[in-house]
Amino acid sequence: AFKPEFAMELIPILFTNIITVEDENIKSVVVLYEQMKEENVYPVAADGTAFLPIYCSEYKIILQDAKGNRYYKDDGYTLEKLMIPGKYTKNFEETVEGPIGYDLYLCENAKTGITITESNYMPYTRLHKSDKMNEEYRAEIGLKLMQFCFDNDKIEEGETLLEQVQPDNLNYRMRAVYIQYFVSRGMLDKALLWLSTYGIDGVEATVLMRLCSRILARTEFEQDEVLLTIIYQTYRKGKYDANTIRYLTEYFEGMSK
């Protein structure tokens, strides 16, 4: 039976490929994964071969000579799998932790992209936490994980992701989704801070109206220029309630009729 404590040593063996290069000047093989920051470098033996694990389909192979010159091409080498890893990994539990590349393998789905399920929740969580992954990929995972948690009664985990998320590596669509969740979970100050920093692009007017109305009720209609601007923009989109109309009436001068 497989023992989880041996995963770090065994799993790379299951995914090992042998590459044979034609050019005798090639001294190392570089493997790049689209999702990872770091490159993986493997030495080429005197007979032109190297052994390297490949965990998913989104990778590039680059050949490097002794002077550090690199060559990216589809020919000049042959690549052969030594084993079929699925025969063995299908019996592993999702809690088994191997190299980070193994988590890429567990989460790979070319048809649907990043799709969180109960079976891959833990591998995706490890990928999200890993500083070996590039920031864009981690940001995409974080958003999907957060949504999965709230949709599947993992409320504490979802709220932790909301508290920890940083806006810098998100595009405006991602920020808009997070702001919607901030509002629904009562994290009003964080939502307003993001809006004041990055603007309202992509955020639904209904969400903005709900946020502003709740803040007004809490602050007893204290004047705030950022809030006033958001309320006016929301009003122009046809979304308002008694609180936001009252606020506009009291503070906004020159509102178009």
Side-chain angles (χ1 to χ4, degrees):
F2 175 74
K3 296 183 178 180
E5 58 267 28
F6 297 143
M8 283 293 182
E9 291 76 25
L10 176 60
I11 289 175
I13 297 174
L14 299 179
F15 288 84
T16 293
N17 289 246
I18 181 170
I19 186 170
T20 304
V21 299
E22 298 173 2
D23 187 344
E24 62 182 15
N25 294 313
I26 298 301
K27 301 303 179 184
S28 58
V29 176
V30 181
V31 179
L32 301 174
Y33 293 100
E34 181 178 320
Q35 306 93 332
M36 296 182 71
K37 295 178 183 177
E38 302 174 354
E39 59 186 34
N40 302 276
V41 182
Y42 304 91
V44 174
D47 63 356
T49 62
F51 293 90
L52 56 154
I54 295 178
Y55 293 101
C56 67
S57 61
E58 296 178 355
Y59 70 91
K60 294 179 180 178
I61 288 181
I62 297 175
L63 307 180
Q64 180 171 294
D65 64 23
K67 296 180 179 180
N69 299 312
R70 291 186 169 189
Y71 310 91
Y72 173 56
K73 51 186 179 179
D74 293 330
D75 56 2
Y77 65 86
T78 57
L79 188 67
E80 180 184 358
K81 285 185 178 181
L82 296 186
M83 305 182 74
I84 301 176
K87 285 185 176 181
Y88 306 92
T89 59
K90 65 182 180 181
N91 297 317
F92 294 178
E93 296 180 4
E94 65 179 44
T95 53
V96 170
E97 291 190 46
I100 197 67
Y102 178 57
D103 287 323
L104 286 176
Y105 165 78
L106 293 175
C107 297
E108 184 172 46
N109 191 325
K111 293 183 179 180
T112 60
I114 298 175
T115 303
I116 314 294
T117 64
E118 285 292 346
S119 63
N120 65 24
Y121 172 74
M122 287 304 299
Y124 264 124
T125 297
R126 292 191 292 267
L127 289 173
H128 179 243
K129 292 179 179 180
S130 173
D131 58 8
K132 294 182 178 181
M133 299 294 107
N134 66 53
E135 297 304 326
E136 181 180 351
Y137 185 59
R138 292 174 70 183
E140 292 176 7
I141 294 173
L143 178 61
K144 296 288 187 177
L145 280 172
M146 182 272 295
Q147 293 174 308
F148 176 82
C149 287
F150 284 118
D151 290 343
N152 292 272
D153 296 323
K154 299 180 184 291
I155 305 303
E156 184 176 348
E157 293 88 342
E159 290 184 340
T160 297
L161 289 167
L162 282 181
E163 291 169 358
Q164 294 177 346
V165 65
Q166 298 297 320
D168 297 344
N169 296 312
L170 308 178
N171 60 42
Y172 78 94
R173 292 186 181 88
M174 292 179 178
R175 285 193 291 267
V177 174
Y178 276 109
I179 288 169
Q180 179 178 342
Y181 276 86
F182 291 157
V183 175
S184 67
R185 305 303 300 178
M187 301 171 69
L188 307 183
D189 292 332
K190 191 166 187 176
L192 186 60
L193 176 62
W194 282 32
L195 289 168
S196 65
T197 304
Y198 297 98
I200 67 171
D201 286 352
V203 184
E204 294 181 5
T206 302
V207 173
L208 295 172
M209 185 270 292
R210 190 178 301 122
L211 166 67
C212 293
S213 184
R214 291 176 181 177
I215 291 178
L216 292 177
R218 189 187 66 186
T219 61
E220 299 182 349
F221 293 80
E222 180 180 344
Q223 187 171 5
D224 181 279
E225 290 301 321
V226 172
L227 203 60
L228 183 60
T229 299
I230 296 173
I231 289 173
Y232 177 57
Q233 291 173 324
T234 304
Y235 169 81
R236 294 191 63 183
K237 294 180 179 180
K239 299 297 179 182
Y240 49 84
D241 67 1
N243 283 345
T244 58
I245 286 294
R246 173 185 165 187
Y247 197 72
L248 284 174
T249 302
E250 290 186 9
Y251 296 113
F252 192 81
E253 297 179 3
M255 181 177 66
S256 299
K257 293 184 179 181

